Amino acid sequence: MSEVVMERAAVGHLTGWGWRDLYTLCKPRVVAVMLVCTLVGMLLAAPLPGTAAVVFGLAGIGLAAGGAAAFNHVVDRRLDALMLRTAGRPLATQRLPTGLALGWATLLSVCGIGLLAWQVNPLTAWLTLGSLIGYALIYTAFLKHATPQNIVIGGVAGAAPPLLGWTAVTGQLGPEPLLLMLIIFAWTPPHFWALAIHKRDEYARAGVPMLPVTHGKAFTRLQVWLYGWLTVAVTLLPFVIGMSGVLYLVGVTALNARFMVWNWRVWRGRDPKAPLAAFWFSIRYILGVFGVLLLDHYAAAWMLAS
C-alpha cells in the first residue's frame, strides 16, 4: 500500500496540480446532495420562496460546504493516504500543496458565510458557520479519531442542510425544519456504517475507531438494522404532526420498505456485497424521502388553490 502511495505522490510532483484538484477538494457530489436537501427545505418553508433567498442561499451554503469539505481533506490527508478509497486524493498524493488547500478552504468558507450574512440573513450565516465548524473541526479533527460513535455525534452538522434552507427563506427556526434535520440525523448512522462495514479493513489499517473496527461487523450490522428502524419511525413524523398528507405517507412507506430490505440483508451478513449496495441505495432513499415530501407539499397547495 505504501509503495502505491509513494508512486502516486511521485507522479503528482511531476504533473503538478490543476483547478480540477481544487474542485475535487470540495467533494462536489456530496455537496450536490446537500444542496438538494437545502432546496427542499427552502421549498417546504414557502411554496414560492424569493429568488434572492434561493440563489444566494444555495450559493452561500454551497461555498461553505465546499470549504468544509476542503478542510476535511487537509485534516485527513495522512489518513487518506492509507486508505485505498481515498489514496488518490490531491493532498494524499501530495499533488496539491497543503498550504494552498488550506487557503482555498478558508476562502470558500469566508465567501460562503459572508454571502449568507450579506444577502440572506444572520441566522442562516451563524447556523452554517456552526455546521462548518462541527464537520471540519469537531468531527474530522477530533470525534472521528476519538470514539466509535463519531458518526452519530458528528451527524448533527451533516443533518443541517434542510434546516439551513428553511431559515434562509424564513429567517426563523421552528419544529418543521428541526424535524427535517432529525430525519437526516437518524438516517446517517445506517447510511455510513454500511460503508464502514465494507471498508472495515481499511479503517483498521488506518487506525480509525469506526464501529466495525472497535465492536466488530456483527455488532455494526445490528446497529444498521436498529438505526434503520429509528429512521423509519422518524420519517413517519411529518405525517403524524400534520406537516404532510396521505401522499407522503404512501410514498415514504414504499421507500422505507425497500430501505429496510437492504438493512435486513446487511443485518443477516450472508451477502458480502450487501453493505456497499445498501450504502448506495441509502443515498437514493434520502433523496426520495425529501422528494415525496416535496411532492405532497405542492399537491396539498394545489388542492387548496383549486
Side-chain angles (χ1 to χ4, degrees), residues 18 31 83-84 129 198 237 240 305:
V31 172
M83 300 183 63
L84 182 62
L129 177 61
H198 179 72
L237 290 180
V240 172

Side-chain angles (χ1 to χ4, degrees), residues 183-205:
I183 290 174
I184 298 183
F185 177 77
W187 161 84
T188 299
H191 160 70
F192 196 84
W193 279 336
L195 177 65
I197 291 172
H198 179 72
K199 297 292 183 180
R200 187 263 176 201
D201 293 340
E202 292 187 33
Y203 281 119
R205 184 166 54 245

